[in-house]
Amino acid sequence: MFQPFLQHLEKELFSRFDLSSRPIDPELEFQISQRGKNPAMIESWCYQCPQFRKIRYTYINAGETAQIFNSVLYPSYEYDLPLLGVDLLAFGKKKILVVLDFQPLFRDEDYLEKYIEPIAPIRAKYNELAQDLEMKFYDANQYFSPYLLFAKTDAETVVNRLFPAYQEYLQLYWQLLEQAEPKTDSASIERITKAQKDYDQYSAERDPASGLFRSYFGSEWAEEFVHNFLFEDSVPVAVK
Ligand SMILES: C=CC1=C(C)/C(=C/c2[nH]c(/C=C3N=C(/C=C4\NC(=O)C(C)=C4C=C)C(C)=C\3CCC(=O)O)c(CCC(=O)O)c2C)NC1=O
């Protein structure tokens, strides 16, 4: 269901950037689970280039049961650009949840003006994908922008609305990156580094996917996947 989103991202990345592979532990790179109703496959890809220190994306294919495409682009520490976050989930035909955002690292007015306001005209075209749903796991005021796309939707809308929205968001993201001036002073770079690390810690602690990973692949694998691949700058906190 979301394979075209993965293919589009890949095509964009390979045509725009000089990517090199960032190796993934083979245990984490690909797994098949036979535990569910349908076999569940999870596969991940990871790259870097001068502009991005980490580009990762993951596809979970459990047939009708679950299709998930998840991606985060982490700019290099010289760029204070938001992270590009994508989380598209389909559990059967009936439950489809989509999230797409420029995830801000800072919340001061200048920052939001520079990196978030430019989204407004695109976001305005896709009202049906911005439903103001309540967040149960995350805090909408931390690492999410006011112009995120966040919707419970259907397969037709994914194809006809979300896909064009996704292409436009990506296009704008590349444009903002092109315009961004890499920082050279160590104070700025340290501030960005800390903000990206905080994002990983926050996300690892809140991520609602942990339960899903555990149920398919076991708790040990799930823990490794979250802390050594998805959010590798996070450290596990003691379990309750
Ligand atoms: C492979 C990794 C990975 C997977 C498979 C994943 C799945 C995942 N994301 C979810 C929600 C969600 N996911 C996001 C957003 C994001 N989540 C992100 O990982 C990113 C980058 C964004 C930003 C765009 C939001 C906002 C929700 C709703 C959570 C809430 O209500 O607080 C849920 C809960 C769906 C439900 O309500 O039943 C799951 C299982 N998250 C992951 O990290």
Side-chain angles (χ1 to χ4, degrees):
M1 153 140 239
F2 299 119
Q3 280 96 350
F5 292 79
L6 186 158
Q7 286 156 8
H8 177 72
L9 179 65
E10 233 164 36
K11 192 175 76 164
E12 287 287 304
L13 289 170
F14 277 89
S15 65
R16 287 172 187 276
F17 303 103
D18 184 17
L19 301 183
S20 47
S21 280
R22 275 191 43 169
I24 307 172
D25 177 339
E27 283 293 310
L28 301 180
E29 189 171 17
F30 182 75
Q31 278 293 328
I32 302 183
S33 164
Q34 301 289 354
R35 290 186 191 184
K37 198 167 118 214
N38 300 313
M41 281 179 277
I42 184 167
E43 184 166 9
S44 297
W45 295 262
C46 197
Y47 300 97
Q48 63 187 4
C49 61
Q51 298 88 339
F52 292 101
R53 66 175 188 89
K54 180 178 182 181
I55 293 168
R56 64 152 171 88
Y57 45 95
T58 295
Y59 204 95
I60 297 175
N61 187 345
E64 287 279 287
T65 313
Q67 297 268 324
I68 302 177
F69 176 56
N70 179 279
S71 178
V72 180
L73 271 58
Y74 295 81
S76 298
Y77 292 131
E78 296 85 349
Y79 294 98
D80 64 356
L81 205 73
L83 312 187
L84 182 74
V86 184
D87 200 13
L88 312 179
L89 310 108
F91 301 100
K93 286 273 172 299
K94 284 277 160 333
K95 191 183 172 193
I96 301 182
L97 183 75
V98 298
V99 195
L100 169 62
D101 201 12
F102 293 6
Q103 302 199 260
L105 290 174
F106 307 107
R107 308 207 71 90
D108 54 282
E109 217 164 286
D110 288 355
Y111 185 88
L112 298 176
E113 187 61 35
K114 186 171 176 190
Y115 291 125
I116 304 302
E117 272 317 308
I119 311 170
I122 302 177
R123 152 68 185 77
K125 292 201 271 178
Y126 297 102
N127 274 325
E128 75 269 47
L129 294 172
Q131 297 173 349
D132 205 22
L133 305 172
E134 195 201 337
M135 289 193 188
K136 295 188 257 343
F137 298 91
Y138 300 102
D139 175 354
N141 296 311
Q142 226 178 327
Y143 307 117
F144 288 100
S145 86
Y147 300 126
L148 88 161
L149 298 183
F150 183 19
K152 288 183 179 153
T153 189
D154 52 55
E156 192 195 326
T157 307
V158 167
V159 175
N160 295 324
R161 302 298 290 153
L162 182 64
F163 194 62
Y166 175 73
Q167 291 176 304
E168 288 198 60
Y169 270 67
L170 280 184
Q171 199 65 34
L172 174 63
Y173 190 74
W174 308 142
Q175 190 188 323
L176 294 179
L177 172 66
E178 242 160 60
Q179 292 164 2
E181 289 268 343
K183 310 278 185 199
T184 51
D185 64 295
S186 58
S188 299
I189 292 170
E190 275 164 35
R191 182 165 169 264
I192 297 164
T193 305
K194 176 163 191 318
Q196 287 199 11
K197 287 184 192 295
D198 289 349
Y199 170 90
D200 265 19
Q201 187 65 35
Y202 177 85
S203 302
E205 285 173 19
R206 302 289 182 107
D207 197 344
S210 296
L212 183 144
F213 298 143
R214 274 198 299 273
S215 66
Y216 278 133
F217 307 106
S219 51
E220 200 180 322
W221 189 92
E223 180 93 341
E224 291 265 318
F225 189 63
V226 169
H227 293 291
N228 296 345
F229 176 64
L230 292 180
F231 307 110
E232 65 197 287
D233 290 320
S234 68
V235 289
V237 290
V239 281
K240 285 155 261 167

